[in-house]
Amino acid sequence: MSGFHKDGYSVSSFGGMAADLPRIQAYSEALRRVITPESVVVEIGTGSGVMAMHACQLGARRVYAIEAEDAIETASVSAAQNGFADRIVFIHDVSTNVTLPEPADVLFSDLRGILPLHNAHLETIIDARRRFLKPGGVQIPQRDTLYVAPVSAPDVYQDVVEPWTKNPFGLNMDAGRQWTINQRYRRRVQAEQIAFPPQVWAVLDYVNLTELNYAATFNWTAEAPVTVHGYQVWFDAVLYDEIGYSTAPDQPPMAYGTTFFPCAEVVTLAAGDTLRARVRADNFSGAYTFSWHTQVLDGATQAVRQQLQQSTFFGDIESTRALHMRSQAYQPRLSRAGQIDAAVLQWMAEGQTLRDIAQHLMQQYAAEFPNEIEAMTKAGDMSVKYGEYHGS
């Protein structure tokens, strides 16, 4: 669900999360354990409002439901239809911008993406724990544990890589392949495709969390010849006490999915060889860059026989250009779109109406806004994105 992230959720995707029964039932049981008639509850990323309303069903005195996405508009309507409008305060904003009038007895959220290391999830939790939760209050979830396991999954690998290695015209598509192998994918392997036992990558202790970046090195020794195509990553969640769930390949599928990091090339190990992997996640300005480096150590000599270095940084098709444009010496210039946005922001700052702004757009940027509908759409979009709502 959403709270503080760059990738927006649609109303339908919130509905999918609400229909994810293992997740919903686990959260319900955790909340049932801790909510009392005197409880003040804060939910970050309320989405469709299902769990905020359920907190009322469980007896919460007051629920503050925070959501950055527009889906909160449907949540407030649903709350009124279900008779909870007087007990839920819906706040349409990023939680880090919000100040609440009272501390919470219970703070709960689900801001994960495919993995808990998702955009500004961890910063949001750290901030909310510090500012919203009273001393001795309960935080849900309490812990996520991330696991990494090498997989022998030729079907998944071919789905990712084969379109760039085979084409009916015999063309060299290595440029596209290099981009493809440096991305992570929402793919789920079968339990029997796990080639080596999973190892713990990170433990996210939300009650005490301060760290945003996580890295670990893993070693597996092959007992028999094996082919490795990548790494599957999943998490086990502990919501409260023993209540939780897992996105592991041997568990029922959940809305989160699981992550597949492909190897740049197929890795083949003989009996006695060691597979060494270093996996890391680094948070930059509210977004994660993932890196996974692979080595094969010869079983007899321990010499490095194969080495692969991959990162989602290189999977960003604009990464080289973006890196240059972020350098300290670079002198940025406004693009045409930037000039238009700057002009609209200036007219907004002057207090002009949207109709006036639309007229200016048609006059000064006629090529982009040849009619009032397109000009009003642009003005309205900028108003929603940057304007301060004052109810008039």
Side-chain angles (χ1 to χ4, degrees), residues 148-150 195-199 217-222 231 269 272-279:
V148 174
F196 291 96
Q199 296 187 36
T217 300
F218 312 97
N219 291 284
W220 294 274
T221 299
Y231 305 94
L269 293 94
D273 287 349
T274 296
L275 175 67
R276 177 172 295 164
R278 181 163 179 81
V279 182

Side-chain angles (χ1 to χ4, degrees), residues 94-309:
V94 172
S95 65
T96 51
N97 291 340
V98 173
T99 300
L100 297 178
E102 55 186 328
D105 301 287
V106 179
L107 169 67
F108 78 98
S109 62
D110 184 1
L111 309 180
R112 310 173 184 91
I114 304 176
L115 293 176
L117 300 175
H118 176 65
N119 293 339
H121 172 203
L122 302 192
E123 297 101 309
T124 301
I125 295 299
I126 293 169
D127 174 76
R129 184 187 68 210
R130 178 178 61 85
R131 296 193 303 114
F132 297 159
L133 191 62
K134 68 169 54 173
V138 176
Q139 193 171 336
I140 298 173
Q142 296 186 329
R143 184 172 66 256
D144 284 338
T145 303
L146 280 71
Y147 293 90
V148 174
V151 297
S152 182
D155 54 336
V156 177
Y157 193 73
Q158 288 173 5
D159 180 51
V160 170
V161 176
E162 192 169 275
W164 299 99
T165 58
K166 293 182 180 179
N167 64 80
F169 310 111
L171 298 173
N172 185 328
M173 301 295 288
D174 282 349
R177 184 182 185 279
Q178 284 301 114
W179 176 76
T180 300
I181 61 175
N182 283 291
Q183 295 190 67
R184 62 191 181 111
Y185 294 87
R186 190 178 188 273
R187 297 289 193 279
R188 178 182 174 89
V189 304
Q190 302 302 311
E192 59 270 20
Q193 293 178 307
I194 301 294
F196 291 96
Q199 296 187 36
V200 173
W201 174 13
V203 178
L204 309 181
D205 175 9
Y206 295 118
V207 177
N208 303 293
L209 186 71
T210 59
E211 182 58 53
L212 304 181
N213 304 321
Y214 293 87
T217 300
F218 312 97
N219 291 284
W220 294 274
T221 299
E223 297 180 356
V226 63
T227 300
V228 172
H229 297 91
Y231 305 94
Q232 182 88 138
V233 182
W234 66 87
F235 67 93
D236 290 355
V238 174
L239 302 185
Y240 184 76
D241 287 344
E242 81 288 356
I243 303 166
Y245 49 80
S246 173
T247 65
D250 62 351
Q251 297 297 308
M254 299 185 68
Y256 306 103
T258 53
T259 301
F260 175 69
F261 291 94
C263 290
E265 57 190 50
V266 176
V267 174
T268 301
L269 293 94
D273 287 349
T274 296
L275 175 67
R276 177 172 295 164
R278 181 163 179 81
V279 182
R280 63 180 299 126
D282 297 289
N283 189 289
F284 298 102
S285 302
Y288 274 96
T289 294
F290 294 89
S291 302
W292 58 107
H293 299 168
T294 302
Q295 289 182 328
V296 175
L297 307 182
D298 185 271
T301 66
Q302 291 301 295
V304 176
R305 192 173 69 238
Q306 188 175 15
Q307 183 162 269
L308 310 171
Q309 295 190 340

